[in-house]
Amino acid sequence: NHEFDKGPAELLRQSRRARFRFLAANVIDKATLRPLFPAYALRTFAGQRIAVIGMTLAATPSLVTPSGVAGLEFRDEADTVNALLPEIRRRKAAAVVLLIHQGGEAEGGANACGNFMGPLADIVKRLADDVTLVVSGHTHRAYVCELPNSVGRPVLVTSAAAYGRIVTRIDLTIETTARKVIGVRAENLLVSRTGEAAPEIARLTSAYNARAAKTGSRVVGTIAADFTRVLSASGESSLGRLVADAQLAATRAAGKGGAVVAFMNGSGIRTDLLYGSSGGVVTYADAFAVQPFGNNLVVKTMTGEQIYALLEEPWKSARPRLLQVSAGFSYMYRASPARGEVHVCPGSATLGGVPLEQDARYRVAMNSFLASGGDGFSEFARGTDALGGDIDVDALASYLGAHGAVAPDTRERILQVASCDAR
C-alpha cells in the first residue's frame, strides 16, 4: 500500500526504472478499466510454467491519502484471483503462486502458525483450488501456515517479517509429465548479520546514511522527562499516551478527518523517548526510532457499540495488549470477569466526560496498520468513511514542536477495577 503514497504517476515512473516487473492484478485504472500493471507473469522452470499473480490490499484507499489512489479502483483479492484462473489454465501453468500484500499474524515463532488471525485467512478461504502457494506481507510478521481454501484443502501461506531480516526458502515439486504439483514446503531463515558488507552495498548505505543524517539531526521538540513503554498496572504507558495524543492532534481538524479520539497499538512503539544527556532535546531520528514503520494515519467512523467491541478485543489473545488512548477518552475494565461477562465495564467508556452512546457515530483516528485489522484488532476494519492522513512519525514530530517541553501525563485514562459495581 505504501507504493501508492506518492500517487500512481510516481509509481509508474519507478516501475520504468526498475529491473523487475511490477504486478497489480487488482489495481484498476478507472480510465482504461485495465490493471495498472500486468496481473500476472509466467516463468518457466525445467519446462514447467509457473504463474505468479501479484496484488496489493483491496483496502489500500483507506491506508493512504486520497491523492495517492486517485483514478484507481482496488478490487477484492479473492475475486480477482479466481477470475484470472481460467485464462491461466488455458496457458497450461503447472502451478499458481499468489504474491499478496495482505497478511495476518500467528503465534509460536517464525516457522509456526498458532492461532492465526487476520484478513488473509478469509481471502485464502475463498480461493479456488488452483492456487498452490500464497506469499503474504503487510503485517511485518513471520509465519509458515497451512490455511484452508474454498474446498477445504490446506494451502501453504508464508510471510517473512520485514526489512530483509528473514528470507523464506520455498521448495515446489512438480511431476513434469502430468504437470502436477506433488509437494510444497517452506522455511523462514534468519538472515545472518555477521561479516562485512559487500563494497557496492557499503557505498550505497554510506550515501543514504549521509542523507538520512541531515534529516535525522533536525530538532523537532523537547521533553521534560522520560517517556517510556513501561506499562502501568492498567496497561498504559507514558509514551503510548504521547503518541495517541499526537495522532489525535494531527487528525482533529475537519479537513484532517475530524477525529475525536485516537487509539495506538503498543507494538508499534519501538523504543523509549528519553530525556538523557541531550537535556530533553528530541531530533527527528529520535522520533523515527519510536515509530519507524512509516504508517499513515487513518480516520474512520465507528459507532459506540463498535468502540466497546474494539476495547474488548485484546482478551481474544492469550497475552492481552490494550490499545493506548488519547486524552479525553477513558474506560474501566476488569481483568477477570465472571464467566460469560465482558472485560470492559458496560457504560464506563467516556469521551470528554460524556458516556459513549451505543448508536452514536464517532470519528476515530488510528494508524494504517490498525485500520486493516492489524494486531488482532479486527473491529477497526469495520469502520467506514476512511480518510488517509499524515505519516505517524511526522504527527509525533509536529506535536512535540508545538507543545514546548512536553511532560508525561500521569493521569489514568484506563482503569482496572475488581468489579464494575465498585465504580
Side-chain angles (χ1 to χ4, degrees), residues 220-386:
V220 297
T222 58
I223 54 176
D226 291 346
F227 284 84
T228 74
R229 294 165 294 164
V230 176
L231 297 178
S232 67
S234 64
E236 293 186 272
S237 73
S238 59
L239 188 51
R241 292 186 184 114
L242 174 65
V243 171
D245 288 348
Q247 294 185 356
L248 178 60
T251 56
R252 179 176 280 150
K256 294 287 188 177
V260 294
V261 61
F263 295 107
M264 177 62 192
N265 55 316
S267 63
I269 302 173
R270 309 307 289 181
T271 193
D272 298 332
L273 196 58
L274 302 178
Y275 186 85
S277 59
S278 67
V281 173
V282 180
T283 65
Y284 190 85
D286 296 327
F288 185 86
V290 171
Q291 293 183 275
F293 297 116
N295 288 312
N296 289 84
L297 298 184
V298 179
V299 180
K300 291 187 175 185
T301 297
M302 301 181 72
T303 65
E305 181 181 10
Q306 288 176 324
I307 293 174
Y308 270 102
L310 172 70
L311 299 176
E312 193 71 24
E313 286 193 299
W315 284 279
K316 294 179 181 179
S317 171
R319 296 174 57 192
R321 294 179 295 180
L322 305 190
L323 290 166
Q324 304 297 293
V325 304
S326 58
F329 184 89
S330 65
Y331 71 95
M332 294 188 293
Y333 75 92
R334 47 200 170 180
S336 302
R339 182 181 295 274
E341 293 185 338
V342 293
H343 292 78
V344 177
C345 293
S348 69
T350 63
L351 185 60
V354 179
L356 292 191
E357 297 179 18
Q358 294 284 320
D359 296 333
R361 295 160 61 85
Y362 303 91
R363 294 292 281 168
V364 178
M366 66 214 72
N367 62 50
S368 51
F369 172 65
L370 289 175
S372 60
D375 261 358
F377 292 100
S378 59
E379 200 67 31
F380 279 121
R382 294 181 58 202
T384 60
D385 302 322

Side-chain angles (χ1 to χ4, degrees), residues 83-141:
L84 286 170
L85 291 175
E87 176 182 331
I88 290 173
R89 292 189 200 108
R90 289 194 296 271
R91 301 188 72 176
K92 301 186 184 306
V96 179
V97 177
L98 172 59
L99 306 181
I100 185 170
H101 189 59
Q102 185 57 277
E105 58 179 308
E107 299 172 352
N111 285 289
C113 190
N115 193 30
F116 187 89
M117 296 183 295
L120 183 60
D122 177 67
I123 294 171
V124 176
K125 191 174 183 179
R126 294 187 292 122
L127 293 177
D129 203 29
D130 303 65
V131 178
T132 308
L133 165 72
V134 177
V135 180
S136 65
H138 188 52
T139 58
H140 294 192
R141 299 295 193 265

Side-chain angles (χ1 to χ4, degrees), residues 43-87:
R43 294 290 183 266
T44 301
F45 301 91
Q48 302 300 306
R49 281 184 171 181
I50 309 297
V52 181
I53 302 173
M55 60 177 61
T56 189
L57 300 87
T60 295
S62 69
L63 304 179
V64 300
T65 58
S67 61
V69 294
L72 300 176
E73 176 188 352
F74 292 76
R75 293 182 176 174
D76 179 85
E77 298 96 333
D79 290 346
T80 299
V81 172
N82 293 339
L84 286 170
L85 291 175
E87 176 182 331

